[in-house]
Amino acid sequence: MLEKPDAQNLLATARAAVLEEILPALPPDKAILARMVAAAIGLALRETTAGQDWQDALQARLRRLVAAPESRLLERLAAEIREGRHDPGTPRHAEVAAWLRDHARLRATISAPRALG
Amino acid sequence: MDEAALRGWLAQASGDAGLRITALTRLSGGAIQQNWALDVELGGAAQRWVLRTDAPAVLAVSHTRPQEFSLLSAAREAGVTVPAPLFLCADSSVIGRPFFVMARVEGVAAPHRVVKDATLGGGRAACVAALGRELARIHAIRPPRADLGFLGDPPADAALAAIAALRRRLDAAGTPRPVLEWGLRALERKAPPPLPPVLCHNDFRTGNIMLDAQGVAAVLDWEFAGWGDPHADLGWFCAKCWRFGQVAQEAGGIGPRDAFLAGYGLPVDAGRLPWWELLATIRWAVIAADQAARHLSGQERSLELALTGHMVPELEWDVLAMAEAL
């Protein structure tokens, strides 16, 4: 059992310290950097909170979409899309489109959750 | 910077042997180019200039300073609001690298201020109309132009050339990005037929345009200019990713799209704009990913570059919606 507070708690506390205590004391030319620090901590916090399950689920679906060695699945999908093999009217078009939406949405949940509305 | 050598060269170029440098200060920004605020006394009168040169040990990734000087000169001659280009020194022996000198323009370019501060630009609709007129003047520059020969021959098909260039860049980066491929493939299927080429600025967006209270003070950053489809610039300026949070203001986050296009005045094929806006979104995603790669490679450790990479998923989310609607 690791010592508490855990990473999530520490990151959230550090982010609050940057925004509430450090930022107001900084000259304007350093404020942008402090905001970036807070943004980076927020991002790391969301990544920690999200865990690994969603990535595993996406990877499992990807395995069913394309045939390639595990480390080259994404590369294979990208190549097949470029070749037009998942254009509208092809058998896997809808399935690939749905996978891509989830792939983008789940990454945006961490990188830019506000963009998802 | 060898100030004595610079003074000697400027004295000769300006025809005033008594020219005096009163201040020379490095300006912030520009990882590839260096800008210096250069104050001189010329014929007894104070002049405020900018000296623009390459950063040391930077590989050529965009136009050279002499080429940029030619572009600025062509733009100024066409009536585009640019800082007056004054002197070009292609001789590397003076300060160690080629440089040029242009007039120093006062104004605000910082995008988050430009989109929020309604006192800038002479009114929001008037500002985007003026920007439309600036772009029309740029697009009035057509090949062939001996002075712009370094731009090479125009692409036979600017749309397909743009797709090919982004694919090459994705391949060079080496990270598979199926969503961006999906967008590029949609563009390929629906590529518009070629138009007669014009000079495209290729980075005409909020952040590269300096405004003052009256209007447009300067169109900056000409290093990516080239021959292409005029809709490429219109799409780049209007793309959602360049509105800096002011999404409802479709012209650069500053004002209404209709006012921008009315100011532009030249014929616009409205059907081409969604195509070029999708291309713009993919192009920015590719650039953002490359910026993060610079950080990740250890070449340039930077929190800003690192965070820029995290814009990619949001851009990809937009790419999927735009490709669907194309």
Side-chain angles (χ1 to χ4, degrees), chain B residues 174-244:
Chain B
T175 302
R177 297 203 175 268
V179 174
L180 300 185
E181 295 288 352
W182 186 262
L184 286 169
R185 178 67 189 150
L187 288 173
E188 189 171 49
R189 286 196 307 271
K190 301 196 174 175
L195 289 174
V198 303
L199 185 70
C200 289
H201 180 282
N202 283 334
D203 205 6
F204 190 92
R205 63 164 176 89
T206 300
N208 288 336
I209 288 141
M210 189 173 272
L211 303 180
D212 59 21
Q214 284 72 47
V216 181
V219 178
L220 304 171
D221 291 300
W222 289 78
E223 59 249 45
F224 301 109
W227 304 123
D229 182 326
H231 298 81
D233 277 339
L234 297 166
W236 187 248
F237 186 71
C238 291
K240 183 183 156 219
C241 56
W242 292 125
R243 295 181 200 159
F244 296 92

XYZ file of all heavy atoms in Angstrom, chain B residues 174-244:
563
model
N 6.475 9.971 -38.489
C 6.560 8.571 -38.087
C 5.521 8.099 -37.086
O 5.510 6.921 -36.738
N 4.630 8.975 -36.615
C 3.563 8.539 -35.708
C 2.291 8.334 -36.522
O 1.818 9.285 -37.145
C 3.296 9.616 -34.626
O 4.503 9.838 -33.921
C 2.204 9.184 -33.669
N 1.756 7.102 -36.563
C 0.535 6.908 -37.354
C -0.637 7.701 -36.773
O -0.868 7.661 -35.564
C 0.277 5.397 -37.269
C 1.182 4.862 -36.236
C 2.208 5.894 -35.878
N -1.329 8.412 -37.634
C -2.448 9.240 -37.183
C -3.656 8.967 -38.069
O -3.939 9.699 -39.021
C -2.064 10.718 -37.212
C -0.917 11.027 -36.263
C -0.854 12.467 -35.851
N 0.189 12.665 -34.870
C -0.002 12.598 -33.540
N -1.215 12.366 -33.055
N 1.002 12.785 -32.717
N -4.383 7.866 -37.755
C -5.480 7.453 -38.639
C -6.575 8.504 -38.799
O -7.197 8.564 -39.863
C -6.002 6.172 -37.979
C -5.399 6.114 -36.624
C -4.162 6.927 -36.657
N -6.814 9.311 -37.781
C -7.874 10.328 -37.929
C -7.459 11.370 -38.972
O -8.268 11.777 -39.817
C -8.176 11.009 -36.577
C -9.164 12.146 -36.774
C -8.726 9.994 -35.574
N -6.211 11.786 -38.937
C -5.763 12.764 -39.924
C -5.752 12.134 -41.317
O -6.081 12.797 -42.304
C -4.378 13.310 -39.548
C -4.304 14.011 -38.183
C -2.919 14.618 -37.974
C -5.370 15.096 -38.047
N -5.393 10.858 -41.388
C -5.461 10.149 -42.678
C -6.902 10.116 -43.191
O -7.152 10.262 -44.395
C -4.933 8.714 -42.538
C -3.467 8.606 -42.188
C -2.526 8.990 -43.334
O -3.016 9.207 -44.459
O -1.314 9.090 -43.077
N -7.828 9.898 -42.285
C -9.263 9.859 -42.633
C -9.672 11.202 -43.247
O -10.350 11.259 -44.275
C -10.052 9.571 -41.356
C -11.525 9.351 -41.478
C -12.508 10.280 -41.265
C -12.194 8.123 -41.789
N -13.742 9.695 -41.421
C -13.581 8.381 -41.740
C -11.768 6.833 -42.091
C -14.535 7.397 -41.979
C -12.721 5.856 -42.343
C -14.086 6.140 -42.293
N -9.256 12.270 -42.613
C -9.560 13.612 -43.130
C -8.910 13.848 -44.479
O -9.544 14.384 -45.405
N -7.646 13.447 -44.618
C -6.938 13.661 -45.891
C -7.573 12.841 -47.014
O -7.684 13.292 -48.150
C -5.451 13.295 -45.739
C -4.618 14.307 -44.944
C -3.241 13.723 -44.620
C -4.465 15.615 -45.712
N -7.995 11.640 -46.670
C -8.633 10.789 -47.686
C -9.968 11.407 -48.125
O -10.311 11.400 -49.310
C -8.831 9.379 -47.111
C -9.512 8.415 -48.034
C -8.687 8.065 -49.256
N -9.506 7.297 -50.200
C -9.366 7.309 -51.503
N -8.407 8.024 -52.057
N -10.160 6.595 -52.270
N -10.732 11.955 -47.172
C -11.999 12.627 -47.528
C -11.698 13.810 -48.453
O -12.418 14.041 -49.435
C -12.718 13.098 -46.263
N -10.637 14.544 -48.143
C -10.256 15.674 -48.997
C -9.878 15.189 -50.395
O -10.239 15.810 -51.399
C -9.066 16.425 -48.380
C -9.363 17.254 -47.122
C -8.068 17.784 -46.526
C -10.309 18.416 -47.445
N -9.159 14.086 -50.434
C -8.710 13.563 -51.729
C -9.916 13.180 -52.595
O -9.942 13.433 -53.789
C -7.814 12.349 -51.499
C -7.121 11.845 -52.741
C -6.082 10.780 -52.392
O -6.406 9.826 -51.638
O -4.940 10.904 -52.842
N -10.907 12.554 -51.960
C -12.085 12.122 -52.720
C -12.861 13.313 -53.272
O -13.539 13.201 -54.273
C -13.022 11.292 -51.828
C -12.531 9.886 -51.530
C -13.673 9.007 -50.990
N -14.360 9.595 -49.854
C -14.003 9.411 -48.591
N -12.987 8.627 -48.300
N -14.667 9.971 -47.615
N -12.789 14.435 -52.553
C -13.637 15.574 -52.932
C -12.812 16.793 -53.333
O -13.264 17.936 -53.167
C -14.546 15.916 -51.761
C -15.411 14.725 -51.380
C -16.567 15.074 -50.524
C -17.433 13.842 -50.338
N -18.520 14.017 -49.429
N -11.609 16.564 -53.836
C -10.735 17.695 -54.183
C -11.357 18.551 -55.278
O -11.821 18.017 -56.294
C -9.374 17.169 -54.622
N -11.367 19.864 -55.090
C -11.922 20.741 -56.126
C -10.944 20.858 -57.290
O -9.740 20.713 -57.098
C -12.057 22.089 -55.407
C -11.031 22.044 -54.323
C -10.879 20.602 -53.917
N -11.464 21.099 -58.502
C -10.546 21.249 -59.651
C -9.656 22.484 -59.476
O -10.036 23.434 -58.786
C -11.495 21.413 -60.844
C -12.814 21.775 -60.266
C -12.872 21.270 -58.870
N -8.463 22.454 -60.102
C -7.531 23.566 -59.900
C -8.036 24.895 -60.450
O -8.812 24.915 -61.400
C -6.270 23.119 -60.647
C -6.564 21.829 -61.286
C -7.930 21.388 -60.924
N -7.570 25.967 -59.829
C -7.863 27.334 -60.281
C -6.548 27.969 -60.721
O -5.477 27.498 -60.332
C -8.435 28.149 -59.107
C -9.837 27.814 -58.640
C -10.170 28.612 -57.390
C -10.837 28.105 -59.748
N -6.615 29.061 -61.487
C -5.362 29.760 -61.814
C -4.646 30.180 -60.517
O -5.290 30.671 -59.589
C -5.833 30.990 -62.596
C -7.182 30.616 -63.111
C -7.782 29.691 -62.094
N -3.338 29.952 -60.430
C -2.638 30.203 -59.168
C -2.480 31.686 -58.848
O -2.404 32.514 -59.748
C -1.264 29.570 -59.407
C -1.095 29.557 -60.887
C -2.464 29.423 -61.475
N -2.450 31.965 -57.554
C -2.178 33.327 -57.051
C -1.138 33.193 -55.950
O -0.834 32.082 -55.498
C -3.458 33.975 -56.465
C -4.569 34.019 -57.506
C -3.931 33.227 -55.216
N -0.618 34.337 -55.511
C 0.284 34.283 -54.365
C -0.546 34.056 -53.105
O -1.441 34.844 -52.797
C 1.091 35.586 -54.224
C 2.130 35.511 -53.096
C 3.274 34.567 -53.463
C 2.681 36.881 -52.736
N -0.268 32.996 -52.391
C -0.923 32.737 -51.098
C 0.069 33.077 -49.989
O 1.251 32.741 -50.094
C -1.331 31.272 -50.983
S -2.699 30.824 -52.053
N -0.418 33.715 -48.966
C 0.426 34.045 -47.813
C 0.774 32.774 -47.044
O 1.886 32.594 -46.554
C -0.330 35.048 -46.929
C 0.404 35.489 -45.704
N 0.504 34.702 -44.577
C 1.074 36.628 -45.415
C 1.195 35.356 -43.654
N 1.553 36.524 -44.140
N -0.207 31.897 -46.934
C -0.055 30.579 -46.300
C 0.117 30.590 -44.782
O 0.370 29.537 -44.195
C 1.083 29.773 -46.949
C 0.658 29.199 -48.284
O -0.531 28.977 -48.506
N 1.606 28.966 -49.181
N 0.019 31.755 -44.171
C -0.099 31.787 -42.706
C -0.862 33.046 -42.293
O -0.557 33.670 -41.283
C 1.284 31.744 -42.050
C 1.227 31.179 -40.624
O 0.132 30.728 -40.196
O 2.250 31.220 -39.923
N -1.866 33.387 -43.117
C -2.683 34.589 -42.900
C -3.744 34.259 -41.856
O -4.770 33.653 -42.167
C -3.328 35.010 -44.226
C -3.995 36.356 -44.202
C -3.295 37.497 -44.568
C -5.321 36.489 -43.817
C -3.919 38.747 -44.559
C -5.943 37.734 -43.795
C -5.235 38.865 -44.169
N -3.451 34.613 -40.612
C -4.365 34.266 -39.514
C -4.157 35.229 -38.361
O -3.138 35.934 -38.293
C -4.096 32.837 -39.039
C -2.699 32.669 -38.453
C -2.573 31.396 -37.637
N -1.218 31.206 -37.158
C -0.735 31.673 -36.013
N -1.494 32.410 -35.225
N 0.509 31.439 -35.653
N -5.131 35.221 -37.463
C -5.013 35.990 -36.235
C -3.729 35.550 -35.514
O -3.482 34.363 -35.351
C -6.259 35.732 -35.362
O -7.399 36.141 -36.111
C -6.202 36.503 -34.061
N -2.945 36.508 -35.111
C -1.631 36.202 -34.520
C -0.506 36.646 -35.435
O 0.567 36.997 -34.966
N -0.785 36.641 -36.735
C 0.224 37.094 -37.699
C -0.173 38.409 -38.347
O 0.384 38.798 -39.360
C 0.447 36.027 -38.781
C 1.199 34.825 -38.222
O 1.905 34.943 -37.237
N 1.033 33.679 -38.857
N -1.195 39.042 -37.757
C -1.667 40.316 -38.278
C -1.608 41.324 -37.143
O -2.092 41.051 -36.045
C -3.107 40.167 -38.804
C -3.068 39.365 -40.101
C -3.743 41.513 -39.031
C -4.174 38.425 -40.253
N -0.965 42.442 -37.407
C -0.846 43.451 -36.354
C -1.934 44.501 -36.540
O -2.144 45.003 -37.644
C 0.543 44.090 -36.444
C 0.850 44.989 -35.294
S 2.579 45.528 -35.365
C 3.369 44.213 -34.485
N -2.659 44.768 -35.459
C -3.736 45.750 -35.495
C -3.394 46.937 -34.616
O -2.661 46.798 -33.623
C -5.049 45.131 -34.979
C -5.581 43.877 -35.675
C -6.879 43.430 -35.009
C -5.807 44.128 -37.158
N -3.959 48.093 -34.957
C -3.948 49.216 -34.018
C -5.390 49.719 -33.902
O -6.311 49.073 -34.413
C -2.949 50.298 -34.466
C -3.265 50.841 -35.851
O -4.424 50.706 -36.297
O -2.346 51.402 -36.492
N -5.582 50.850 -33.241
C -6.953 51.312 -33.002
C -7.673 51.623 -34.312
O -8.893 51.505 -34.403
C -6.930 52.545 -32.098
N -6.916 52.012 -35.335
C -7.542 52.421 -36.597
C -7.883 51.243 -37.511
O -8.843 51.294 -38.264
C -6.618 53.376 -37.363
C -6.587 54.800 -36.817
C -5.854 54.884 -35.501
O -4.761 54.331 -35.364
N -6.461 55.541 -34.519
N -7.042 50.212 -37.478
C -7.277 49.101 -38.405
C -6.094 48.169 -38.470
O -5.496 47.842 -37.448
N -5.756 47.766 -39.696
C -4.654 46.822 -39.897
C -3.348 47.609 -39.954
O -3.203 48.501 -40.796
C -4.852 46.025 -41.206
C -3.717 45.026 -41.405
C -6.202 45.303 -41.196
N -2.423 47.276 -39.070
C -1.125 47.975 -39.052
C -0.097 47.245 -39.896
O 0.781 47.878 -40.488
C -0.619 48.110 -37.613
N -0.191 45.920 -39.965
C 0.768 45.163 -40.785
C 0.341 43.711 -40.915
O -0.180 43.114 -39.975
C 2.165 45.216 -40.180
N 0.576 43.163 -42.096
C 0.459 41.717 -42.323
C 1.875 41.153 -42.208
O 2.774 41.572 -42.945
C -0.132 41.413 -43.718
C -0.198 39.901 -43.941
C -1.519 42.033 -43.848
N 2.060 40.236 -41.261
C 3.413 39.770 -40.913
C 3.646 38.329 -41.378
O 2.742 37.673 -41.894
C 3.588 39.839 -39.385
C 3.337 41.210 -38.745
C 3.314 41.081 -37.224
C 4.388 42.225 -39.182
N 4.854 37.847 -41.114
C 5.203 36.423 -41.251
C 4.935 35.839 -42.637
O 4.034 35.027 -42.839
C 4.468 35.594 -40.180
C 5.025 35.914 -38.810
O 6.230 35.711 -38.598
O 4.266 36.406 -37.965
N 5.796 36.215 -43.553
C 5.640 35.828 -44.962
C 6.440 34.588 -45.316
O 6.581 34.251 -46.488
C 6.064 37.002 -45.846
C 5.076 38.109 -45.785
C 4.928 39.023 -44.776
C 4.049 38.392 -46.736
N 3.868 39.864 -45.044
C 3.317 39.498 -46.241
C 3.672 37.819 -47.951
C 2.230 40.036 -46.924
C 2.595 38.365 -48.633
C 1.884 39.459 -48.123
N 6.962 33.895 -44.324
C 7.959 32.865 -44.662
C 7.395 31.615 -45.328
O 8.156 30.785 -45.794
C 8.796 32.492 -43.441
C 8.026 31.963 -42.267
C 8.034 32.955 -41.111
O 7.813 34.168 -41.364
O 8.252 32.549 -39.975
N 6.061 31.447 -45.345
C 5.506 30.256 -45.993
C 4.798 30.582 -47.309
O 4.135 29.706 -47.896
C 4.530 29.541 -45.048
C 5.173 29.102 -43.758
C 4.870 29.730 -42.560
C 6.117 28.085 -43.764
C 5.488 29.339 -41.371
C 6.738 27.692 -42.595
C 6.431 28.320 -41.389
N 4.906 31.833 -47.777
C 4.160 32.251 -48.963
C 4.544 31.418 -50.187
O 5.694 30.975 -50.310
C 4.413 33.733 -49.240
N 3.559 31.197 -51.059
C 3.823 30.422 -52.273
C 2.631 30.503 -53.205
O 1.578 31.040 -52.838
N 2.771 29.961 -54.405
C 1.669 29.960 -55.375
C 0.636 28.915 -54.964
O 1.020 27.807 -54.549
C 2.185 29.630 -56.770
C 3.276 30.528 -57.280
C 4.505 30.141 -57.697
C 3.227 31.959 -57.436
N 5.236 31.246 -58.094
C 4.469 32.372 -57.946
C 2.255 32.938 -57.176
C 4.778 33.710 -58.210
C 2.564 34.273 -57.445
C 3.799 34.645 -57.961
N -0.641 29.257 -55.112
C -1.663 28.268 -54.764
C -3.066 28.757 -55.065
O -3.269 29.732 -55.795
N -4.036 28.059 -54.487
C -5.455 28.374 -54.630
C -5.803 29.448 -53.592
O -5.533 29.262 -52.400
C -6.272 27.084 -54.365
C -7.774 27.281 -54.541
O -8.287 28.379 -54.239
O -8.442 26.317 -54.956
N -6.407 30.558 -54.037
C -6.702 31.631 -53.071
C -7.577 31.168 -51.906
O -7.494 31.724 -50.798
C -7.430 32.683 -53.912
C -7.852 31.991 -55.174
C -6.860 30.897 -55.399
N -8.399 30.143 -52.129
C -9.263 29.664 -51.047
C -8.462 29.060 -49.899
O -8.972 28.894 -48.792
C -10.272 28.644 -51.584
C -11.191 29.222 -52.613
N -10.827 29.369 -53.928
C -12.454 29.712 -52.513
C -11.827 29.913 -54.609
N -12.826 30.138 -53.769
N -7.196 28.718 -50.158
C -6.364 28.177 -49.078
C -6.196 29.223 -47.977
O -6.307 28.920 -46.783
C -4.998 27.752 -49.628
N -5.931 30.463 -48.360
C -5.786 31.533 -47.361
C -7.117 31.859 -46.687
O -7.168 32.109 -45.478
C -5.253 32.804 -48.030
C -3.722 32.806 -48.179
O -3.045 32.068 -47.442
O -3.225 33.563 -49.035
N -8.203 31.868 -47.481
C -9.519 32.170 -46.899
C -9.882 31.108 -45.865
O -10.381 31.416 -44.778
C -10.590 32.225 -48.003
C -10.422 33.325 -49.062
C -11.332 33.057 -50.261
C -10.737 34.695 -48.467
N -9.615 29.848 -46.206
C -9.937 28.742 -45.301
C -9.063 28.753 -44.059
O -9.543 28.488 -42.949
N -7.803 29.070 -44.222
C -6.872 29.118 -43.079
C -7.323 30.206 -42.103
O -7.352 29.999 -40.892
C -5.465 29.390 -43.604
C -4.327 29.316 -42.626
C -3.567 30.373 -42.199
C -3.763 28.154 -41.982
N -2.576 29.929 -41.338
C -2.681 28.578 -41.195
C -4.100 26.793 -42.006
C -1.917 27.704 -40.431
C -3.340 25.923 -41.241
C -2.262 26.377 -40.461
N -7.710 31.361 -42.640
C -8.112 32.473 -41.772
C -9.411 32.168 -41.032
O -9.564 32.540 -39.865
C -8.275 33.756 -42.610
C -8.540 34.973 -41.769
C -7.537 35.519 -40.979
C -9.787 35.573 -41.746
C -7.769 36.638 -40.187
C -10.032 36.689 -40.951
C -9.017 37.217 -40.176
N -10.342 31.480 -41.724
C -11.667 31.247 -41.123
C -11.755 29.951 -40.315
O -12.742 29.746 -39.597
C -12.742 31.209 -42.216
S -13.029 32.811 -42.980
N -10.768 29.070 -40.424
C -10.868 27.767 -39.754
C -11.088 27.956 -38.247
O -10.500 28.843 -37.625
C -9.610 26.946 -40.013
N -11.912 27.110 -37.688
C -12.272 27.212 -36.259
C -11.033 27.197 -35.366
O -11.000 27.859 -34.323
C -13.208 26.036 -35.931
C -13.721 26.047 -34.515
C -14.590 24.817 -34.242
C -14.623 24.516 -32.756
N -14.573 23.083 -32.456
N -10.022 26.456 -35.781
C -8.837 26.322 -34.926
C -8.045 27.619 -34.799
O -7.160 27.720 -33.951
C -7.933 25.206 -35.447
S -7.423 25.392 -37.167
N -8.348 28.619 -35.626
C -7.641 29.911 -35.535
C -8.543 31.019 -35.021
O -8.298 32.191 -35.287
C -7.036 30.291 -36.897
C -5.908 29.396 -37.312
C -5.814 28.694 -38.481
C -4.712 29.090 -36.572
N -4.639 27.978 -38.505
C -3.948 28.196 -37.357
C -4.216 29.486 -35.327
C -2.710 27.687 -36.932
C -2.994 28.980 -34.906
C -2.259 28.097 -35.711
N -9.595 30.645 -34.277
C -10.498 31.682 -33.743
C -10.204 31.972 -32.277
O -10.884 32.780 -31.654
C -11.956 31.262 -33.932
C -12.344 31.159 -35.397
C -13.803 30.758 -35.565
N -14.035 30.213 -36.901
C -15.053 29.434 -37.225
N -15.956 29.117 -36.291
N -15.189 28.981 -38.439
N -9.263 31.298 -31.725
C -8.793 31.560 -30.352
C -9.938 31.683 -29.359
O -10.013 32.625 -28.569
C -7.875 32.788 -30.330
C -6.616 32.549 -31.120
C -6.538 32.892 -32.458
C -5.530 31.910 -30.535
C -5.394 32.618 -33.204
C -4.386 31.629 -31.270
C -4.315 31.988 -32.603
